Each structure stands twice: as C-alpha cells, then as structure tokens.
C-alpha cells in the first residue's frame, strides 16, 4: 500500500514482540502500528512500554473487545481488519489523525512545561522580593520608593529621617510633604 499509493512513510518491520521492543527503544519513531494477536506474546506488553510513541492497533473482525483494551492500554486509535483488505485504505487517514493528535499533545506538554517554569520563576521572584524587602527594611540607611511623585514605600530609617511616626503619615502621599516649601519641591 505504501509503495503503490506513494505514501510518505518509512517502515521498520518487526517479526516478533521482543524485536519490536528493541526497535522502538533504539530509534526515533513518530508512530507504531501493531497487529493483534501476535504469536509470541501480547501487544499489551509493548503498549505499556512505548508511552511516547503513538500506537495504532489493528485487530480482526470480532475482536473489538481487544481494540477497546488497546485504547485502555494507551493506543491512540484502532482499525478493525476486514477480510477484503479495505481497512488498508483507512490506514493513511488514521495515521494522519494520530500524528495530528500527537502534535497537539506535544504542544500541550510544552505549554504545561512552560507553565511549570513560569510558576517556578514566580516563586523565585517572590522569594527574592521578600529577601530584598527584608534587606531594605533592616537597612540603617533611609530608603524610599517614589512612583509618580508619590511615596509608595519607605523603610523605618527613612520614616525616622523625615520625622514620620507611622506609615499613614507618608504612604501614598505626594512627595511635597518631604520638602520644606513649595519652591524646593518645584525645583525637583
């Protein structure tokens, strides 16, 4: 089918389950296709080991229960093999659907990894902010954070230098309150 329909796939064929396991563990495959049943074991043995390689499960008519079991073991899709071989015409579409789902899953995994990285970075930033706040607060030097000519933060040393007894006296207030007169304020 692949050669006759000139499909863009490269095949690696295994003649046994141990060979399939060895091949799948040694290469980089986009997809795996398993025919069930096989003579030397069960497909379930391989399905549980190849979590990162999407699998299409092919089984005979009347073996639909095995197809459902394959999905339960991690197969992405299944095809019921008919005696006339028409199932082979469905295979390319099934492969494309499975590859599309794999790409979506990879994007989601990258997004999840990105979200985990962002979460870790936020934690680190929060820890650094707390550390910096502790350092600035404990400093004997007067330090204030001014934003838009408003005092948004000042350590105790700065409050003491400016003669303020509590935060309500200066937080959110215009910096005009720290100048002796309007003329000095306007010079800045």
């Amino acid at each position: 089918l692949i050669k006759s329909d000139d499909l863009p796939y490269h095949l690696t064929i295994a003649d046994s389950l141990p060979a399939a396991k060895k091949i799948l563990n040694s290469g980089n495959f986009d997809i795996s296709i398993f025919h069930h049943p096989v003579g030397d074991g069960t497909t379930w043995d391989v399905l549980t080991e190849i979590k990162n390689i999407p699998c299409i499960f092919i089984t005979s008519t009347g073996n639909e229960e095995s197809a459902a079991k394959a999905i339960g073991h991690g197969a992405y899709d299944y095809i019921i093999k008919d005696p006339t071989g028409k199932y082979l015409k469905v295979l390319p579409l099934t492969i494309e659907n499975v590859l599309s789902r794999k790409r979506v899953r990879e994007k989601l995994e990258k997004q999840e990894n990105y979200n985990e990285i962002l979460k870790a970075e936020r934690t680190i930033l929060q820890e650094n902010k707390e550390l910096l706040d502790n350092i600035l607060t404990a400093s004997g030097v007067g330090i204030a954070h001014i934003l838009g000519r408003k005092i948004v933060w000042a350590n105790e040393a700065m409050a003491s230098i400016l003669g303020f007894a509590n935060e309500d006296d200066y937080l959110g207030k215009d910096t005009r309150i720290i100048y002796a007169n309007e003329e000095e304020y306007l010079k800045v």
Side-chain angles (χ1 to χ4, degrees), residues 11-12 51 64 106 112 132 150 160 166 170:
L11 294 178
T12 302
K51 298 280 186 205
E64 290 81 4
E106 287 171 347
E112 287 174 13
L132 181 61
K150 301 268 188 217
S160 176
N166 62 54
Y170 60 88

Side-chain angles (χ1 to χ4, degrees), residues 13 39 53 58 90 96 100 102 110 113 130 139 144 146 176:
I13 298 173
I53 304 171
I58 299 176
V90 178
E96 289 308 315
S100 177
K102 178 185 179 187
K110 285 180 184 175
N113 288 340
E130 290 169 6
S139 174
I146 310 295
R176 180 177 273 116

Side-chain angles (χ1 to χ4, degrees), residues 102-137:
K102 178 185 179 187
R103 286 188 291 274
V104 168
R105 178 177 276 178
E106 287 171 347
K107 284 181 184 178
L108 289 173
E109 287 172 355
K110 285 180 184 175
Q111 183 65 38
E112 287 174 13
N113 288 340
Y114 178 73
N115 289 341
E116 288 300 316
I117 291 168
L118 282 179
K119 185 178 175 182
E121 287 177 349
R122 284 187 192 118
T123 300
I124 291 168
L125 285 173
Q126 183 61 34
E127 290 169 356
N128 287 344
K129 181 187 178 304
E130 290 169 6
L131 178 62
L132 181 61
D133 284 348
N134 290 337
I135 292 169
L136 295 175
T137 300

Side-chain angles (χ1 to χ4, degrees), residues 49-103:
E49 290 185 29
I50 58 165
K51 298 280 186 205
N52 296 331
I53 304 171
C55 176
I56 297 173
F57 184 82
I58 299 176
T59 192
S60 303
T61 303
N63 216 356
E64 290 81 4
E65 189 176 314
S66 292
K69 189 175 180 181
I71 297 295
H73 278 82
Y76 270 57
D77 208 340
Y78 68 90
I79 296 175
I80 302 298
K81 186 170 110 173
D82 62 281
T84 61
K86 291 181 183 175
Y87 74 97
L88 291 172
K89 293 294 181 186
V90 178
L91 187 57
L93 178 61
T94 305
I95 290 171
E96 289 308 315
N97 286 339
V98 167
L99 289 174
S100 177
R101 285 177 51 205
K102 178 185 179 187
R103 286 188 291 274

Side-chain angles (χ1 to χ4, degrees), residues 2-66:
I2 290 174
K3 288 182 183 176
S4 66
D5 288 356
D6 197 32
L7 298 175
Y9 308 125
H10 300 282
L11 294 178
T12 302
I13 298 173
D15 58 1
S16 68
L17 285 176
K21 288 179 187 180
K22 185 175 180 180
I23 290 168
L24 289 170
N25 287 324
S26 67
N28 185 14
F29 295 92
D30 294 320
I31 197 167
S32 61
I33 301 172
F34 283 92
H35 182 272
H36 181 81
V38 290
D40 61 344
T42 66
T43 309
W44 325 127
D45 297 334
V46 180
L47 281 176
T48 57
E49 290 185 29
I50 58 165
K51 298 280 186 205
N52 296 331
I53 304 171
C55 176
I56 297 173
F57 184 82
I58 299 176
T59 192
S60 303
T61 303
N63 216 356
E64 290 81 4
E65 189 176 314
S66 292

